[in-house]
Amino acid sequence: MTVSLEQLRRCHFAVDLGAARTRVYVKGMGLVVDQPSVAAVNTRTGALIAVGEFAEKMTGRTPEYIRVVRPISGGTVVDIEMAQRMLRHLLGDKVRRMLRRKPRLRAAACAPHDADPLAQRATIETLVGLGARRVELVDTLIAAAVGCGLPVERPEATMILVCGAAATQVAVLSLGSIVRAERMPVGGESVDHAIVQHLRHEHELMLPSQAVRPLQLALSENGLTPQGPTSTEIHGRDVATGLARSVQVDTAAVRDAIQTPLTAVLDGIGKVLRDCPPDLVADLADRGMVMVGGSALLPGFDQLLRQATGMPVHIAERPDVCAVQGIGAMLEGRIEPLVLGPRSS
């Protein structure tokens, strides 16, 4: 997945295919698409009914002949044809016509660190189906680091934590390359699942699929820390009777329930730091790490990492769009490579 900045400058648009959201950056126009990676299909006719936010609102509320699908899972395209149809609708006729006028359309796409060849091929095939003649793949870690303004091209350590919906990636970068990196198969969805299972087992309450995120936000700014509220009221459906019911949930118990996925993230960070050269780790003691990705906004997550690692932890200004903004900056030519001049005698 080694691609030069010169190759990226020739690209006309870039795509970040995330498990939760799909984002498209068009050269000269900026970010034109930022929508959930969801599509609703009529199973009788095969027609696409809705995509993006409207399709996400339909989750769990459709009749049997309408199916809500997610063609992207864990940063990997699992249904190429549906991903292409979803992207066409998200881009709209105007943008697609503009892209079709390019004589040799080139595209760039974010790819998870250490993505296997099959996953890379699925991403390429998806964009080729949109008319791209050539597709360049950029490591999500590097794109996100560029997007949040880290000096990745300098000979000093920068650490980034990409908190996605299906996976979390952590890396130490120096001189424009990844020195050490680790990908953990846990993310925001794992936290959501842990909360849903806790409510089902402890309170016999089934939570609607779209009510997990509001529950996390209800835990306030210090939600994952002992300084947060002691309890909060949750509405759901009783497992036994099927009737609507409200319960008071102990937030300390919720914190315990989500410790398993969060511990996996801490283990990955520890492994990367153990494998890093000592000089780079010394840099990180002062600079710390930067969190990007939608799950970086999980209340109290940064404070938890700060306490566990003893390092400064910062959340990027717009963590959810850092990766696509970074790859967009490369397309626009705003990133200059480090040039080492000849030594003077």
Side-chain angles (χ1 to χ4, degrees):
M1 238 183 331
T2 303
V3 57
S4 69
L5 286 173
E6 186 59 37
Q7 290 172 309
L8 286 173
R9 288 194 187 106
R10 297 175 189 166
C11 295
H12 301 99
F13 72 104
V15 179
D16 179 15
L17 295 169
R21 297 183 76 87
T22 292
R23 300 176 177 93
V24 181
Y25 186 104
V26 176
K27 196 173 185 177
M29 296 177 65
L31 189 64
V32 297
V33 173
D34 184 3
Q35 294 277 342
S37 305
V38 187
V41 185
N42 187 325
T43 56
R44 294 173 180 171
T45 63
L48 199 62
I49 297 173
V51 295
E53 290 181 356
F54 186 47
E56 189 174 49
K57 290 178 182 177
M58 296 168 67
T59 304
R61 296 180 168 90
T62 60
E64 60 179 16
Y65 66 91
I66 296 178
R67 187 165 58 98
V68 178
V69 297
R70 292 183 176 269
I72 303 156
S73 176
T76 302
V77 179
V78 293
D79 188 336
I80 295 175
E81 182 185 357
M82 187 57 64
Q84 290 173 350
R85 294 175 69 185
M86 180 185 75
L87 275 172
R88 288 192 193 101
H89 279 75
L90 289 175
L91 284 171
D93 294 335
K94 183 180 177 181
V95 176
R96 280 166 48 215
R97 278 197 302 268
M98 186 270 291
L99 291 175
R100 278 201 299 264
R101 286 197 291 267
K102 306 293 181 184
R104 185 175 173 81
L105 187 63
R106 288 172 175 252
C110 293
H113 180 69
D114 283 346
D116 60 80
L118 193 61
Q120 295 182 26
R121 190 67 196 169
T123 301
I124 292 171
E125 289 291 337
T126 300
L127 298 185
V128 166
L130 292 177
R133 301 286 297 276
R134 183 180 174 91
V135 180
E136 309 288 357
L137 296 181
V138 180
D139 198 304
T140 302
L141 291 164
I142 293 178
V146 170
C148 63
L150 290 177
V152 294
E153 74 283 354
R154 295 182 187 172
E156 55 192 40
T158 53
M159 190 172 192
I160 188 162
L161 185 73
V162 180
C163 310
T168 301
Q169 305 171 72
V170 60
V172 174
L173 301 99
S174 180
L175 289 171
S177 298
I178 295 173
V179 180
R180 291 290 184 274
E182 193 72 21
R183 185 166 181 253
M184 294 76 75
V186 294
E189 291 176 354
S190 303
V191 174
D192 294 350
H193 181 72
I195 293 174
V196 168
Q197 291 302 310
H198 168 74
L199 292 174
R200 186 182 180 95
H201 294 150
E202 298 298 323
H203 300 278
E204 297 184 346
L205 193 75
M206 289 184 67
L207 204 62
S209 59
Q210 298 182 40
V212 179
R213 193 61 59 178
L215 168 59
Q216 294 175 357
L217 296 178
L219 298 178
S220 87
E221 294 179 354
N222 301 314
L224 299 183
T225 62
Q227 289 76 33
T230 57
S231 65
T232 185
E233 188 177 23
I234 299 300
H235 308 282
R237 191 183 77 183
D238 190 278
V239 173
T241 65
L243 300 176
R245 184 163 64 91
S246 300
V247 296
Q248 283 292 128
V249 177
D250 181 17
T251 53
V254 174
R255 284 198 299 272
D256 292 339
I258 63 178
Q259 281 304 309
T260 301
L262 295 184
T263 300
V265 174
L266 293 175
D267 290 344
I269 293 172
K271 186 176 187 304
V272 168
L273 291 174
R274 285 194 301 272
D275 294 343
C276 259
D279 290 350
L280 294 181
V281 177
D283 289 345
L284 295 173
D286 297 327
R287 296 189 182 90
M289 75 176 79
V290 177
M291 298 174 64
V292 302
S295 298
L297 299 172
L298 191 65
F301 192 16
D302 57 329
Q303 191 172 340
L304 185 75
L305 292 177
R306 203 173 290 120
Q307 292 171 350
T309 62
M311 294 193 310
V313 178
H314 315 282
I315 300 178
E317 188 174 347
R318 291 192 63 194
D320 50 338
V321 295
C322 279
V324 74
Q325 293 287 12
I327 200 171
M330 298 180 200
L331 260 63
E332 303 281 8
R334 295 197 295 266
I335 306 300
E336 293 296 332
L338 179 67
V339 178
L340 299 176
R343 294 177 59 188
S344 57
S345 55

